[in-house]
Amino acid sequence: MVTIKTEKEIEYMRESCRIVKETLEFVGKNIRAGMTTKEVDELVYKYITSCGAYPSELGYEGYPASSCVSVNEVVVHGVPGDRIILDGDIVSVDITAEKNGFHGDAARTYLIGNVSEEKKKLVKVTEECFFKAIEGLQAGSPLYDIGYAVQKHAESNGYGVVRALTGHGIGKSMHEDPSVPNVGRRGTGMRLKAGMTICIEPMINMGTHKVVFNSQDGWTVSTADGKPAAHYENTVLITETGVEILTL
């Protein structure tokens, strides 16, 4: 069920989303080659809890960490551990924070040291996909216009758009209706309403759009061809005249 947020609820979400934004900025200032993905996760836990919030991912359906830390070929849901981040890697960090009963969610892909021009372009285009998706978006817009915009921009640059995973609604729960695909036919889908809060999160692969799910840890999703992937996400409030990006 899609939930429309009250003004009070939106204020609560602004607070949790601000914490997410600041946490990602903190990670961006401190992440470096030589760290393990677990050490990145420790930064996330430290910052979110210092703000009086809770890292929503910790314990979610048994998930063992406060963030998803995904390196190179890992698209999303990389479980923090002993993997060492190397010079030239790209690392996406996806976090959710809960405060006052409401969640904020965002992801960034960081460039570590001397990153190839090929990877830099992938990260840049992935971020551009998000901003293409919100152009003209407002109450009354068809939901699948979002995916249409993401898909068009990514594929025009020769990239694969992940279909097996989507963005989502967010509020009192980390994942709410509706699902927000990164592909779609323009002019179709439910009409967005003012007061909806959704996570738009392009997941873009350098090669095929196909992914594989790790059956051992039950979480990690990687590109099927082993090529790099990037991820960029924000929590967005739909208004009568546009959108408010709550995690920026």
Side-chain angles (χ1 to χ4, degrees):
M1 184 180 72
V2 172
T3 61
I4 304 301
K5 310 304 185 295
T6 66
E7 278 302 318
K8 184 65 174 176
E9 290 172 336
I10 290 167
E11 283 305 312
Y12 284 145
M13 289 199 66
R14 285 195 181 101
E15 174 70 3
S16 57
C17 286
R18 178 187 62 78
I19 292 167
V20 167
K21 168 185 172 286
E22 290 180 356
T23 304
L24 289 169
E25 289 171 347
F26 178 69
V27 170
K29 290 173 183 173
N30 289 280
I31 192 170
R32 64 187 185 279
M35 295 179 77
T36 63
T37 54
K38 188 175 190 302
E39 287 174 320
V40 175
D41 186 64
E42 288 167 355
L43 292 176
V44 171
Y45 179 84
K46 176 182 175 182
Y47 197 94
I48 289 177
T49 55
S50 75
C51 297
Y54 184 80
S56 315
E57 292 170 23
L58 184 58
Y60 177 78
E61 294 187 355
Y63 188 73
S66 300
S67 60
C68 299
V69 185
S70 306
V71 183
N72 293 336
E73 78 289 347
V74 180
V75 184
V76 288
H77 303 166
V79 180
D82 295 332
R83 182 169 180 169
I84 296 173
I85 297 168
L86 304 175
D87 183 74
D89 283 347
I90 56 173
V91 182
S92 80
V93 179
D94 186 356
I95 66 171
T96 312
E98 180 267 320
K99 192 171 184 180
N100 299 314
F102 286 84
H103 301 262
D105 186 1
R108 301 286 181 267
T109 301
Y110 301 102
L111 308 173
I112 309 300
N114 300 298
V115 176
S116 69
E117 292 303 317
E118 201 176 27
K119 284 183 178 176
K120 284 180 183 176
K121 183 184 175 186
L122 173 67
V123 173
K124 178 174 178 286
V125 169
T126 301
E127 183 173 337
E128 288 171 354
C129 283
F130 170 84
F131 288 99
K132 293 284 185 184
I134 63 170
E135 285 180 7
L137 204 63
Q138 61 184 28
S141 295
L143 174 66
Y144 296 150
D145 280 11
I146 294 169
Y148 171 83
V150 171
Q151 184 177 11
K152 182 180 179 184
H153 189 61
E155 291 182 350
S156 71
N157 281 277
Y159 298 139
V161 183
V162 174
R163 291 154 167 75
L165 300 145
T166 70
H168 51 90
I170 188 170
K172 286 184 178 178
S173 298
M174 181 162 51
H175 295 120
E176 297 183 350
D177 291 332
S179 293
V180 185
N182 288 310
V183 297
R185 188 159 59 89
R186 196 174 192 177
T188 64
M190 67 169 289
R191 302 287 162 161
L192 300 175
K193 296 179 180 179
M196 287 177 65
T197 45
I198 59 175
C199 292
I200 298 173
E201 50 178 315
M203 293 163 269
I204 309 300
N205 299 344
M206 193 175 284
T208 179
H209 70 82
K210 295 179 180 178
V211 297
V212 290
F213 292 78
N214 185 312
S215 59
Q216 289 183 309
D217 67 25
W219 290 100
T220 306
V221 181
S222 303
T223 57
D225 56 11
K227 291 183 178 179
H231 183 203
Y232 185 87
E233 175 184 16
N234 283 303
T235 299
V236 169
L237 167 69
I238 305 298
T239 74
E240 292 290 356
T241 56
V243 299
E244 180 184 342
I245 306 170
L246 300 178
T247 43
L248 276 183

